[in-house]
Amino acid sequence: MPASISSGYRGLVYKVAVPSPLRRVFDYLPPEPNQSIATGTRVQVQFGRRKVVAYVLDKASNSELELHKLKPIYAVLDSEAIFPTKLFSLLQWCAKYYHHPLGEVLSAASPGKLRSSIPLYPQEIVYRANSNIDQSELNSLSRAPRQRALLKFIKKNSSASRDEIELAGFSAAIVKSLEEKKFVERAERNLNSLELFSPLNSVNPSSLELNSQQQQAFDAIKLNGDKFNCFLIDGVTGSGKTEIYMQVMQQHLSEGRQCLVLVPEIGLTPQTVNRFSKRFDCPIAVLHSNLTDNERLDAWRRARAGSVAIIIGTRSAIFTPLPNLGLIIVDEEHDGSFKQQDGFKYSARDVAVMRGREENVPIILGSATPSLESLQNAESKKFSYLTLSERAGGAIKSKTTIVDTSNEILDSGFSEKLLFKIDQHLTVGNQVLVFINRRGFAPILSCTNCGWIAECEDCVSQMSVHAKPPSLRCHHCGIAKQLPILCPTCHEEGLTTIGAGTQRLENFLEQRFSTFPVIRIDRDSTRSKNKLTSMLNQIQIGKPCILLGTQILTKGHHFPAITLVAIVDADAGLFSPDFRGQEFMAQTVVQVSGRAGRAKKSGEVVIQTRHSTHKALIQLTQKNYKELAMYLLEERKAASMPPFAQLVLLKAEGNTLNESINLLQRMNKVSIKLIRESNSNIRTVGPVPAPMEKKAGRYRAQLLFKAENKNTMQQFLTQFVYQIDQIKLSRNLRWSLDVDPREMI
Ligand code: ADP
Ligand code: ZN
Ligand code: ZN
């Protein structure tokens, strides 16, 4: 009989998650026979031709692979797991729920620096006793009592740094002799001497006295105690949500528990951080995208060691290890920046709720314009709904006027009525905010002679005209070109700009209101942090001026001298092809409007539209955001769209549209078969070219899945992803999943 076919290696192997698009774990041998490595530890492994940082998931007593196919782990990087147990299981949940490779999820959740082989904590040189010394050698020290004493000291402490040795009263020369005689040797030790922060007093003298609505909300949160519950605070801008956050935080900080605060954008809102640091005399770490890798690692290390009390951060801060987590807050929970759109696509808000559950701590979501998802969770009692309908601190609610521009000739986008109002407010010494959701000078450059339109060659999209510096720019891929003088097609002089962006409005307003400064705040004007700070300072002084800007302005700034907010054009959102278009429009309008009349001065909001009878706009202005949101929820329910159904978008990207569509067609065959076999209630739409068919030179297509039941969707996806993962892709073809997509582009 032939020898039986060997069934793989028997012996200790580690299951390792490697950051790679492959959705599977890999077996590696321990570096030393039977060396034990804890789950969650970072290791370095040879993967293909590269050495990569990977994560130990599990161990096993055998492998399906033969011994000669197994490589040993190249290096164990840390002596402990990088993520605490509960965070590690949250990350595993993320990989499962978003169907993203675990190795990539773990890597995305780590600070950039730790994706290379540097140690978790800085290392210092220490001395250890050499274990091979025998008694006779020791006897040779009998005539060197200081050396013997130091050796004893090092043995007792298992290791000692130069500083520790010096503190104990031994000179450098004594260590040197011991080292030369090989009684001690050098080793590295993790420098993790960070101390836990000291709990605050439970009463903070600068806390404000809460008004009755605030008190009700605070009491409800306090009554819940330390355990998991998700609170949704639906409170108009200026209603004192932040004051509630701070008072709840005070409770947890006084118990020595850490508070994690997620905000949409901090680089732009130093005011938020200032408010927290003024209130709390405790260590605060700030985590956002403008930090250098070293700054980020440093903040992360201190948070992980429990030595910072408050962590304020953007999206990815949700993955910060916090040994004493007590409370999570997500401010402006509706904000789109909480959704990661590329790579590992996740919603930091949703992950935050999951983290609260996993760590059994309370979580507060706050917004003046809660997402329809969160409002529905409140309706169905999954979240506890708390509402603040009045502005705190005596500010008066602003008055909203709609200006119908359908029969008007506009001057650079402004109606006479609006210009008159701007003039009025400036003349009495107030500030005016003009909002337009488009940067650049104009969105379109066109030829009046032949109809040519400037388009980006790499994206199926028009290029915007910029005046400063003069250029054509693609807002999708960032490419910039020289502004042509003649039409590139008919070579005539008929080029003209259509529509208006911030730069054109800036020119116009500067001419029209020449005695007042115009301060433009958009992505182009705020590239430099110093420039932004100086612009914000100029506004804070409170002299009359026009503040002109995009979405950036809606993010939490306090501008007490603004009394008029003008929304130049509300129409794009009303007729957006995106099913969330009206929700987003309403959120933007309300958020921008919230900048008016924040202090003692009353405010006024003017909205220009060509569709003044649009139902959504009427609901919003005559009633309020909540009324409109409830109406939109009814519509979503009738159409069976989120939050009443789950969407998953399968995206493909290739060098030609055909290639991308073909791949999705192949994948769709798999899905049709799976859905038929399991008789699941899942609908597919597509494959179709993506709304933005070409971006940065790549052709994009998509296939949409919709299910009314999340479990049905999850079961389907698990099988589906497993099967499509086996499809061999040609070199330039890529696919990815977006579970709960926010935008359909
Ligand atoms: P939100 O976070 O809802 O926009 P804030 O907490 O920033 O509201 O409060 C708006 C303004 O009202 C701030 O200037 C704040 O100091 C003030 N404020 C909040 N709560 C109170 C209160 N209970 N009494 C007096 N002023 C308050
Ligand atoms: Zn032309
Ligand atoms: Zn482009």
Side-chain angles (χ1 to χ4, degrees):
M1 262 191 49
S4 68
I5 299 161
S6 157
S7 56
Y9 170 70
R10 306 204 146 263
L12 177 65
V13 288
Y14 284 100
K15 305 266 169 203
V16 173
V18 176
S20 108
L22 301 171
R23 286 172 166 75
R24 43 167 293 217
V25 294
F26 297 86
D27 291 354
Y28 282 88
L29 296 167
E32 302 284 337
N34 293 322
Q35 182 175 344
S36 112
I37 310 170
T39 292
T41 304
R42 286 185 318 142
V43 291
Q44 201 179 20
V45 295
Q46 186 79 37
F47 187 69
R49 265 183 271 161
R50 296 176 303 140
K51 276 208 186 72
V52 298
V53 171
Y55 307 81
V56 168
L57 288 183
D58 208 352
K59 59 182 174 191
S61 54
N62 64 304
S63 169
E64 282 175 14
L65 296 177
E66 299 291 335
L67 181 60
H68 70 270
K69 290 242 168 107
L70 287 167
K71 285 193 216 87
I73 287 170
Y74 180 76
V76 180
L77 296 174
D78 310 316
S79 53
E80 56 183 315
I82 169 172
F83 299 111
T85 319
K86 286 175 185 165
L87 180 53
F88 197 64
S89 17
L90 177 78
L91 292 165
Q92 285 177 300
W93 174 85
C94 285
K96 242 175 116 175
Y97 180 80
Y98 291 108
H99 295 271
H100 198 79
L102 180 58
E104 287 196 349
V105 170
L106 294 170
S107 180
S110 312
K113 279 256 155 171
L114 294 185
R115 288 171 212 156
S116 68
S117 58
I118 70 158
L120 204 49
Y121 286 94
Q123 309 252 299
E124 65 180 342
I125 300 294
V126 291
Y127 293 92
R128 277 201 190 119
N130 191 336
S131 50
N132 305 324
I133 327 167
D134 57 32
Q135 198 55 44
S136 61
E137 281 173 297
L138 266 183
N139 291 343
S140 73
L141 279 184
S142 59
R143 269 185 285 148
R146 290 301 289 157
Q147 290 181 31
R148 222 173 50 210
L150 176 55
L151 184 61
K152 210 172 146 196
F153 171 78
I154 292 176
K155 274 185 162 170
K156 195 177 120 214
N157 293 291
S158 76
S159 69
S161 70
R162 221 169 264 196
D163 287 350
E164 288 161 347
I165 289 169
E166 200 180 315
L167 267 175
F170 298 97
S171 72
I174 306 177
V175 198
K176 203 168 166 222
S177 333
L178 278 181
E179 196 182 3
E180 276 166 5
K181 294 179 191 160
K182 301 227 169 17
F183 281 111
V184 297
E185 57 193 11
R186 289 180 192 207
E188 284 178 342
R189 186 173 72 184
N190 274 348
L191 195 63
N192 186 8
S193 52
L194 298 163
E195 283 173 21
L196 296 182
F197 75 89
S198 326
L200 300 184
N201 288 331
S202 59
V203 179
N204 190 317
S206 37
S207 286
L208 300 174
E209 194 176 324
L210 299 178
N211 64 34
S212 69
Q213 281 191 324
Q214 283 175 315
Q215 191 67 47
Q216 266 185 21
F218 176 80
D219 289 345
I221 300 170
K222 192 171 173 189
L223 187 69
N224 170 72
D226 291 341
K227 63 177 189 301
F228 170 71
N229 194 4
C230 184
F231 296 93
L232 174 63
I233 305 185
D234 178 356
V236 299
T237 313
S239 60
K241 296 183 290 296
T242 312
E243 184 61 35
I244 299 179
Y245 302 157
M246 292 195 292
Q247 298 203 15
V248 177
M249 285 165 72
Q250 184 74 41
Q251 305 290 309
H252 292 275
L253 295 170
S254 71
E255 292 165 10
R257 305 255 252 158
Q258 295 171 292
C259 299
L260 174 61
V261 184
L262 295 189
V263 295
E265 219 154 328
I266 338 179
L268 297 169
T269 54
Q271 298 169 18
T272 315
V273 179
N274 288 346
R275 255 180 106 180
F276 285 99
S277 44
K278 265 199 198 130
R279 175 70 57 97
F280 299 113
D281 182 20
C282 63
I284 298 182
V286 181
L287 286 167
H288 58 82
S289 55
N290 287 349
L291 299 182
T292 64
D293 277 357
N294 279 329
E295 288 169 331
R296 174 176 291 275
L297 179 59
D298 178 57
W300 183 92
R301 278 173 170 156
R302 288 183 297 124
R304 185 181 181 279
S307 80
V308 290
I310 301 172
I311 297 84
I312 307 176
T314 45
R315 191 170 59 216
S316 64
I318 189 56
F319 299 121
T320 316
L322 300 163
N324 296 316
L325 180 62
L327 173 71
I328 306 174
I329 293 169
V330 183
D331 192 28
E332 309 291 0
E333 66 86 29
H334 67 279
D335 197 278
S337 69
F338 289 125
K339 177 73 204 273
Q340 168 73 39
Q341 307 271 23
D342 333 285
F344 164 36
K345 304 178 184 70
Y346 64 93
S347 152
R349 188 228 13 240
D350 296 350
V351 174
V353 176
M354 212 44 212
R355 182 161 185 189
R357 186 187 295 273
E358 190 74 39
E359 307 228 17
N360 196 24
V361 299
I363 165 164
I364 305 174
L365 309 180
S367 176
T369 54
S371 62
L372 295 192
E373 275 76 9
S374 293
L375 283 173
Q376 179 54 31
N377 280 328
E379 286 286 300
S380 66
K381 306 278 185 273
K382 262 173 81 179
F383 293 175
S384 304
Y385 184 66
L386 305 168
T387 169
L388 305 176
S389 54
E390 301 297 327
R391 285 190 171 185
I396 307 153
K397 210 170 182 162
S398 36
K399 173 179 131 229
T400 303
T401 318
I402 291 196
V403 173
D404 191 318
T405 55
S406 54
N407 293 318
E408 272 210 55
I409 297 167
L410 301 179
D411 200 346
S412 284
F414 291 91
S415 62
E416 264 315 308
K417 204 164 168 186
L418 178 53
L419 290 171
F420 178 74
K421 288 223 180 240
I422 295 177
D423 194 43
Q424 257 187 342
H425 282 257
L426 290 173
T427 316
V428 296
N430 291 327
Q431 295 181 344
V432 171
L433 187 156
V434 175
F435 174 82
I436 176 163
N437 215 1
R438 211 183 264 140
R439 63 198 170 93
F441 182 80
I444 297 171
L445 180 69
S446 163
C447 172
T448 45
N449 194 39
C450 73
W452 170 85
I453 283 178
E455 281 192 347
C456 172
E457 284 160 22
D458 292 329
C459 309
V460 178
S461 163
Q462 285 129 11
M463 289 186 90
S464 295
V465 182
H466 280 234
K468 293 171 188 173
S471 54
L472 278 173
R473 280 165 198 268
C474 173
H475 288 181
H476 300 287
C477 68
I479 240 175
K481 279 181 165 181
Q482 232 175 16
L483 208 54
I485 297 164
L486 299 178
C487 169
T489 315
C490 69
H491 308 289
E492 298 282 335
E493 271 185 16
L495 293 183
T496 179
T497 55
I498 302 175
T502 45
Q503 294 177 354
R504 167 174 267 177
L505 262 52
E506 181 185 21
N507 283 1
F508 172 78
L509 291 169
E510 267 169 354
Q511 279 168 19
R512 175 85 188 215
F513 302 100
S514 53
T515 50
F516 299 99
V518 177
I519 304 167
R520 174 169 62 88
I521 297 195
D522 57 21
R523 198 136 35 106
D524 302 309
S525 74
T526 54
R527 288 229 162 81
S528 126
K529 214 166 151 184
N530 293 341
K531 204 171 155 203
L532 176 69
T533 312
S534 85
M535 290 194 290
L536 292 177
N537 288 342
Q538 193 188 346
I539 300 159
Q540 292 302 337
I541 292 170
K543 290 214 176 118
C545 65
I546 300 176
L547 186 54
L548 167 70
T550 55
Q551 208 84 22
I552 289 181
L553 283 176
T554 63
K555 307 213 186 225
H557 293 283
H558 294 260
F559 301 126
I562 289 178
T563 53
L564 173 67
V565 166
I567 295 169
V568 178
D569 183 4
D571 292 347
L574 292 178
F575 300 98
S576 157
D578 192 322
F579 74 94
R580 295 190 211 267
Q582 297 190 21
E583 177 188 354
F584 292 169
M585 178 277 300
Q587 286 164 349
T588 308
V589 168
V590 173
Q591 293 287 341
V592 183
S593 305
R595 307 299 125 197
R598 283 184 66 96
K600 303 287 174 215
K601 292 175 177 176
S602 72
E604 181 173 7
V605 179
V606 175
I607 303 174
Q608 291 195 139
T609 171
R610 283 179 303 278
H611 305 274
S612 59
T613 55
H614 193 287
K615 185 150 186 200
L617 210 50
I618 291 185
Q619 292 254 10
L620 185 64
T621 51
Q622 294 184 359
K623 295 195 176 131
N624 55 38
Y625 175 80
K626 180 81 189 295
E627 291 282 334
L628 172 60
M630 287 300 148
Y631 161 74
L632 293 177
L633 270 174
E634 285 302 313
E635 278 193 349
R636 298 268 187 96
K637 191 170 190 175
S640 182
M641 287 301 267
F644 301 96
Q646 185 176 31
L647 299 182
V648 171
L649 204 55
L650 174 63
K651 304 176 174 187
E653 224 183 81
N655 282 350
T656 65
L657 185 60
N658 245 341
E659 210 180 23
S660 306
I661 294 267
N662 282 344
L663 175 66
L664 292 186
Q665 271 165 349
R666 273 182 73 188
M667 294 181 163
N668 200 18
K669 281 197 187 126
V670 177
S671 71
I672 290 169
K673 188 157 173 276
L674 277 174
I675 293 167
R676 191 177 336 109
E677 281 170 6
S678 61
N679 200 14
S680 332
N681 190 5
I682 295 175
R683 277 193 55 202
T684 63
V685 182
V688 291
M692 220 183 134
E693 186 181 307
K694 191 180 177 196
K695 188 177 173 186
R698 307 268 291 156
Y699 286 88
R700 310 150 83 232
Q702 60 190 33
L703 177 62
L704 183 71
F705 299 100
K706 181 163 112 173
E708 273 167 40
N709 183 304
K710 278 201 169 189
N711 288 335
T712 309
M713 182 66 100
Q714 283 299 327
Q715 276 166 20
F716 160 72
L717 285 179
T718 305
Q719 294 185 28
F720 177 63
V721 170
Y722 178 78
Q723 292 198 19
I724 60 174
D725 215 18
Q726 318 295 322
I727 296 177
K728 273 235 162 2
L729 301 179
S730 61
R731 259 174 63 106
N732 292 308
L733 217 45
R734 295 271 179 286
W735 62 269
S736 67
L737 271 190
D738 191 349
V739 175
D740 306 324
R742 184 180 155 87
E743 287 166 34
M744 297 302 189
I745 51 168

